[in-house]
């Protein structure tokens, strides 16, 4: 009888909820709730997972929920935990950078965008948002370079061209500003 109990206990450990982080059905449930804007349900479901078993994505979702609720400090805490769970999870660096940018910390944002780009160097939106941080700092040459990288990796995003036109205007390069404004208008008009 004792042997049967030990085998049963081991089976529970192997097949039970000890592996929250690896449970794709659990993650699908969380993602579905989050996508359906059922933030409290997703939040509570993730909180039912022991902290040490949460995945980087689960911490990221917690951070997103905290940011959506205007709880900046808590969002930062969750994003940092996401990075601790997986330092190569570029989305955590990116979201943390966006949080910093939205809260008037462009230098910190730039560092996190660079961290995201070290992991995923073709991430056009990280280049774009990094350019926005440089624009806030009035570092227009660096903004231009980041925007050119953004366009290289995603040439169909009109905002990239619009900001390039703005940056070129700030750099007193009217011809280039006009050129990129033309690209912006073409993309916008083609979408109508």
């Amino acid at each position: 009888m004792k042997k049967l109990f030990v085998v049963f206990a081991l089976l529970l450990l192997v097949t039970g909820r000890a592996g929250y982080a690896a449970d794709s059905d659990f993650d699908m449930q969380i993602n579905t709730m989050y996508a359906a804007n059922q933030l409290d349900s997703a939040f509570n479901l993730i909180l039912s997972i022991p902290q040490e078993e949460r995945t980087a994505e689960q911490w990221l979702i917690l951070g997103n929920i905290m940011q959506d609720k205007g709880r900046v400090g808590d969002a930062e805490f969750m994003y940092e935990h996401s990075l601790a769970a997986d330092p190569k999870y570029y989305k955590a660096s990116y979201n943390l950078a966006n949080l910093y940018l939205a809260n008037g910390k462009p230098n910190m944002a730039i560092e996190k965008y660079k961290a995201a780009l070290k992991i995923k160097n073709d991430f056009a939106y990280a280049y774009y948002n990094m350019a926005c941080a440089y624009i806030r700092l009035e570092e227009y040459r660096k903004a231009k370079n980041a925007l050119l990288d953004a366009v290289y990796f995603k040439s169909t995003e009109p905002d990239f061209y619009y900001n390039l036109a703005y940056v070129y205007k700030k750099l007193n390069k009217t011809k280039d500003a006009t050129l990129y404004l033309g690209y912006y208008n073409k993309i916008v008009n083609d979408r109508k």
Side-chain angles (χ1 to χ4, degrees):
M1 183 71 162
K2 199 181 230 183
K3 237 184 196 180
L4 186 61
F5 177 76
V6 171
V7 171
F8 182 73
L10 284 173
L11 226 112
L12 275 177
L13 273 177
V14 172
T15 63
R17 279 300 215 202
Y20 285 103
D23 190 336
S24 63
D25 289 337
F26 207 65
D27 282 337
M28 189 183 314
Q29 226 180 339
I30 292 166
N31 290 333
T32 301
M33 287 177 187
Y34 182 70
N37 206 29
Q38 298 171 348
L39 302 183
D40 290 334
S41 297
F43 185 80
N44 290 330
L45 189 55
I46 296 171
L47 288 184
S48 73
I49 302 168
Q51 286 188 22
E52 64 278 358
E53 293 184 35
R54 291 182 195 150
T55 65
E57 183 179 14
Q58 291 163 349
W59 282 109
L60 180 88
I61 291 171
L62 287 174
N64 290 348
I65 292 169
M66 292 292 93
Q67 189 171 358
D68 289 346
K69 293 181 179 235
R71 294 172 56 182
V72 174
D74 290 334
E76 182 178 7
F77 176 83
M78 301 301 177
Y79 294 145
E80 290 291 350
H81 271 72
S82 180
L83 284 170
D86 182 358
K88 295 206 180 283
Y89 190 53
Y90 73 93
K91 291 178 183 180
S93 290
Y94 177 72
N95 284 18
L96 188 53
N98 289 341
L99 182 73
Y100 289 147
L101 185 59
N103 289 283
K105 299 176 181 177
N107 287 313
M108 292 173 73
I110 289 166
E111 291 309 310
K112 290 300 178 182
Y113 289 128
K114 286 180 179 179
L117 289 165
K118 279 185 183 177
I119 300 162
K120 184 165 175 55
N121 71 342
D122 64 345
F123 191 21
Y125 292 102
Y127 287 109
Y128 172 75
N129 287 343
M130 185 167 60
C132 292
Y134 281 129
I135 289 169
R136 285 198 185 166
L137 296 170
E138 298 181 2
E139 294 184 29
Y140 298 114
R141 290 191 195 292
K142 290 180 180 178
K144 175 194 73 163
N145 292 335
L147 286 165
L148 288 171
D149 286 335
V151 166
Y152 177 79
F153 290 111
K154 185 167 177 67
S155 62
T156 58
E157 183 58 57
D159 290 343
F160 296 177
Y161 294 98
Y162 187 83
N163 279 358
L164 259 171
Y166 173 78
V167 165
Y168 276 118
K169 182 179 178 188
K170 287 296 203 177
L171 292 170
N172 294 317
K173 296 191 176 200
T174 311
K175 186 177 176 182
D176 290 325
T178 302
L179 175 70
Y180 283 100
L181 191 57
Y183 291 149
Y184 165 79
N185 287 327
K186 181 175 177 1
I187 292 171
V188 169
N189 289 330
D190 287 350
R191 290 185 177 180
K192 290 182 181 178

